[in-house]
Amino acid sequence: RKNAYALNMIDSAWNISVTTGTYRTTSYKRPRFVNVKITPLAAAFDSPIAAHGLIGQSLHDPYAIQGKIDQYVPNALGEYTTSAQGEGAIEGTMDDYEIRGDDPFNGEFAFSRFGATMGARRDVALLSGRKMRIGNH
């Protein structure tokens, strides 16, 4: 692809790939977007600290949890406005995951696991989203 970029990061537990792309609007503009693919490796499942955060918290779930879904209806300019923020599929609310203060590297938030030595998996029974069976669970 012309003008496409990629970044791949791998450690003992995760393989993270970031790529760029474009899409066409009804006015034939080509805005850019970023795709992020996160693949857990064996060490991610074996850690005594269950993954958490907006992405990691579902690692050990026996179900796919479907939270609030946006209706992607474009306006007159072909643009979409999203409103879904994971309601029903995440623990807490989006505000619980916001980094507070002036330090963009601050790892303190309601469900932070930074510096932890143990961390339990989330209890999917407490989530209000639609639970759907996945894989071999």
Side-chain angles (χ1 to χ4, degrees):
R1 293 183 326 215
K2 185 178 179 183
N3 296 326
Y5 297 93
L7 172 65
N8 197 50
M9 299 162 283
I10 301 173
D11 71 6
S12 63
W14 303 94
N15 181 349
I16 303 170
S17 175
V18 181
T19 57
T20 62
T22 61
Y23 62 94
R24 188 172 309 168
T25 65
T26 56
S27 61
Y28 299 101
K29 293 180 181 176
R30 298 202 49 98
R32 293 188 170 273
F33 63 87
V34 175
N35 280 320
V36 178
K37 180 179 179 183
I38 302 173
T39 306
L41 304 175
F45 294 96
D46 296 336
S47 176
I49 307 167
H52 211 282
L54 290 174
I55 297 170
Q57 67 182 277
S58 65
L59 178 67
H60 297 286
D61 290 356
Y63 304 99
I65 311 293
Q66 180 179 326
K68 181 180 175 186
I69 299 175
D70 279 318
Q71 300 300 315
Y72 292 103
V73 179
N75 64 16
L77 300 174
E79 300 169 337
Y80 302 92
T81 300
T82 63
S83 64
Q85 298 292 314
E87 297 94 336
I90 63 171
E91 289 186 295
T93 68
M94 285 292 292
D95 292 339
D96 293 327
Y97 297 87
E98 183 177 335
I99 295 173
R100 309 274 185 227
D102 296 333
D103 180 3
F105 301 105
N106 181 353
E108 295 181 25
F109 55 94
F111 300 102
S112 178
R113 297 288 170 90
F114 293 105
T117 57
M118 296 291 290
R121 300 174 183 180
R122 69 182 185 168
D123 183 353
V124 295
L126 301 176
L127 302 175
S128 63
R130 181 174 167 223
K131 296 164 182 74
M132 301 169 288
R133 285 299 237 181
I134 56 171
N136 297 323
H137 296 280

